Amino acid sequence: MASWTPGNRPKRSSFQFSFTICPRPYLALSSLNDGPGSYGATARNGARRRSRKFTVPLSPTGSILVNPLCGPHEIERVAAVQFWKMRTSLSIGRIAGIEIGLNWSLAIAFFLFTASLAGEVFPSDVPGYAQTAYIVAAIAAVLLFYASLLAHELGHAIVARRLGNRVDGITLWLFGGVARLSGDSVSDSAELRITLVGPAITIAVAIVFAVIAAVLATLNVFPLTVDLLGWLARINFILAAFNLIPAFPLDGGRVLRALLWRFTHDQLRATSIAAWLGRAFGVVLILGGLSMAFLQASLINGVWLGVLGWFLFSAAGSQELQTRLQRSLTGVTVRDVMVPDPVTAPDWITVDDFVARYATVHRATAYPIRDFNGQLSGLVTLHDVSAIAPPRRAGTQVRVIARSLTQVALARPDDALIDVLHQVEDPATAYVLVKDGDRLVGMVSPEDIGRALDLAGLRQPGPVTTGRSGTSPGTVGDV
Ligand SMILES: [Zn+2]
């Protein structure tokens, strides 16, 4: 690829190639309640227990993979979208006010990258160093590479913020980086600007590394450092090139979508076309991965490529779904879907009492609970109750098994439903308590959310918006 790196081998491995993507999926409906011990575990358990009613995909192979737009139930597809939400496992601080986090999957990537560089790439490029030197160089290279990725994502995030998007943070993970943006809609030109800045930064970073490597190589000093910098330059060029492939939700696909959006004045149609290309590219990668694994006996590279293709395929479908949902949920408020004045139960009664006086008397699947002073103290669901063994029910108070208020999403009646979906971990298991000031005025159950989503799916898409004004509805969150 370049002559400034001694021992540069043009074909490194597809592992590095496939590794260095930044899908920047802006994964849909990013959560606002990521706190430890929050709703997540409960929600997932609930999902399993409720599986007869909602076949929530526990893997992303749900309806998105089978048929991205024709699943049996909207809520399943939204749940599948949620699956791809990139969770921050470890927050490492803030840059320019933007929270930077690491996902646990990054550890796998870090290990594979470091092992590949220290065990194979550097020793064969510049032999004669101690193993420790290769390991130190490999760790430095991988850290610098992640710093480059971070710069790319920061570019997206800072420009997005300047253009009025809310930035929830940046997470580095297995396949690169994700800038989690949501908030107000943007226009096609804003999307273009937010998108192009990422690859531009990556190319600039690559050039900087290449120039330093070239200077050091000319001076004939620090051959291992030269190789390291050369690798960084190459991988950043590859990163930029890969991201510019017009396969949504890669950056190139976003550019294509923005151009189609400008041309057709229809964001949804533009998204559909770009997402179709994204899925096609995902299939190509999956087939490439399979052939690599089985025909070339390169199992790790093949699996890697296949998983990457699968991710892109699913992410493209998710993004399209998100755009469509946000269009069709425009104008739907919490008040439209909530059950008003839900039956509440005292939190000090026993589970047995609760079953006798509430669960078997009323029709709800969950009950807000109040304390002795009449204050709302949490929410208990029938699933929480069924998890308690019958012999223990007489001696267990309801408040012990209930979800606390911090584990339940709260909303106001006039909040947009789409904003509430942003808040919940998994709409297939989420209960939302609706308060007007201090007063509980309603509750939204997963059934209500599912019904609203199904109805939204039946609605005609909203009016065509060019988005030029920057105020077009229904574009929240995906750019
Ligand atoms: Zn990007």
Side-chain angles (χ1 to χ4, degrees):
M1 186 190 289
S3 56
W4 31 258
T5 318
N8 177 26
R9 291 166 304 176
K11 185 178 179 300
R12 189 66 71 195
S13 74
S14 60
F15 156 67
Q16 289 169 5
F17 177 77
S18 58
F19 203 93
T20 54
I21 73 150
C22 154
R24 193 173 60 109
Y26 302 147
L27 293 168
L29 313 170
S30 63
S31 173
L32 296 176
N33 50 354
D34 275 352
S38 74
Y39 197 51
T42 321
R44 276 188 287 276
N45 292 340
R48 272 193 290 276
R49 285 200 297 274
R50 222 194 317 275
S51 58
R52 266 180 308 169
K53 179 124 188 167
F54 295 114
T55 43
V56 175
L58 294 176
S59 81
T61 54
S63 49
I64 288 225
L65 188 61
V66 176
N67 192 338
L69 285 176
C70 303
H73 201 299
E74 287 281 355
I75 203 164
E76 279 188 19
R77 307 205 311 257
V78 177
V81 172
Q82 304 281 53
F83 184 92
W84 287 117
K85 280 194 304 196
M86 205 45 56
R87 302 241 155 257
T88 289
S89 310
L90 176 69
S91 180
I92 57 169
R94 287 175 175 274
I95 298 178
I98 295 165
E99 192 190 352
I100 312 296
L102 310 178
N103 180 266
W104 64 269
S105 62
L106 190 68
I108 302 174
F110 191 90
F111 173 78
L112 289 174
F113 246 140
T114 311
S116 161
L117 286 173
E120 188 203 341
V121 177
F122 290 157
S124 92
D125 283 353
V126 275
Y129 283 86
Q131 188 58 36
T132 324
Y134 292 129
I135 292 172
V136 171
I139 291 173
V142 177
L143 289 178
L144 281 169
F145 171 59
Y146 284 126
S148 322
L149 263 182
L150 193 55
H152 176 118
E153 297 305 330
L154 274 171
H156 289 313
I158 289 172
V159 172
R161 191 173 59 182
R162 200 171 293 163
L163 292 174
N165 279 88
R166 196 184 73 222
V167 178
D168 290 335
I170 291 173
T171 304
L172 296 180
W173 73 301
L174 188 63
F175 287 124
V178 175
R180 299 193 309 279
L181 311 182
S182 55
D184 293 326
S185 57
V186 295
S187 61
D188 50 16
S189 61
E191 166 139 348
L192 212 51
R193 284 160 69 188
I194 294 169
T195 303
L196 283 175
V197 68
I201 287 176
T202 298
I203 290 170
V205 165
I207 290 171
V208 169
F209 283 134
V211 167
I212 301 173
V215 169
L216 292 180
T218 312
L219 298 173
N220 220 357
V221 290
F222 309 127
L224 184 55
T225 309
V226 171
D227 198 47
L228 185 161
L229 292 167
W231 178 83
L232 281 167
R234 282 197 303 277
I235 204 156
N236 273 296
F237 275 124
I238 294 169
L239 173 71
F242 188 90
N243 275 290
L244 286 172
I245 292 171
F248 190 77
L250 292 175
D251 288 339
R254 289 184 179 279
V255 170
L256 176 70
R257 177 171 82 149
L259 296 175
L260 289 168
W261 183 2
R262 177 169 297 185
F263 184 67
T264 61
H265 304 300
D266 184 344
Q267 189 202 17
L268 197 56
R269 209 166 129 214
T271 308
S272 293
I273 298 170
W276 188 90
L277 279 168
R279 284 196 290 269
F281 184 60
V283 170
V284 168
L285 290 188
I286 291 170
L287 293 176
L290 285 174
S291 76
M292 200 178 277
F294 292 107
L295 302 180
Q296 299 174 25
S298 182
L299 193 63
I300 290 184
N301 289 345
V303 167
W304 196 268
L305 204 59
V307 171
L308 176 62
W310 181 29
F311 168 74
L312 281 179
F313 185 95
S314 302
S318 301
Q319 291 281 288
E320 185 180 7
L321 169 66
Q322 183 194 0
T323 305
R324 199 165 54 78
L325 265 183
Q326 287 182 333
R327 174 77 67 91
S328 53
L329 284 181
T330 299
V332 179
T333 65
V334 170
R335 193 192 303 278
D336 297 332
V337 302
M338 73 181 191
V339 172
D341 303 320
V343 176
T344 61
D347 69 0
W348 63 88
I349 61 174
T350 66
V351 175
D352 257 351
D353 265 357
F354 173 79
V355 171
R357 291 166 53 192
Y358 291 90
T360 55
V361 174
H362 302 283
R363 293 173 60 100
T365 53
Y367 297 81
I369 53 171
R370 50 190 156 74
D371 63 18
F372 210 67
N373 300 318
Q375 295 295 311
L376 195 63
S377 62
L379 177 89
V380 66
T381 71
L382 297 189
H383 305 284
D384 300 333
V385 171
S386 65
I388 305 298
R392 288 183 51 219
R393 289 178 190 164
T396 306
Q397 283 185 314
V398 165
R399 66 164 163 249
V400 175
I401 63 165
R403 304 170 190 194
S404 73
L405 288 179
T406 56
Q407 293 173 306
V408 181
L410 296 173
R412 287 176 302 234
D414 294 326
D415 287 347
L417 182 63
I418 191 75
D419 289 342
V420 175
L421 289 177
H422 275 270
Q423 282 186 55
V424 301
E425 169 105 4
D426 177 353
T429 58
Y431 286 91
V432 182
L433 294 178
V434 187
K435 291 175 79 178
D436 192 357
D438 277 345
R439 204 164 60 88
L440 179 73
V441 293
M443 184 173 71
V444 180
S445 68
E447 291 81 0
D448 302 322
I449 295 176
R451 183 169 176 277
L453 293 173
D454 279 344
L455 283 176
L458 298 175
R459 284 171 64 187
Q460 292 292 320
V464 169
T465 53
T466 66
R468 290 256 165 71
S469 65
T471 56
S472 61
T475 60
V476 182
D478 58 336
V479 284

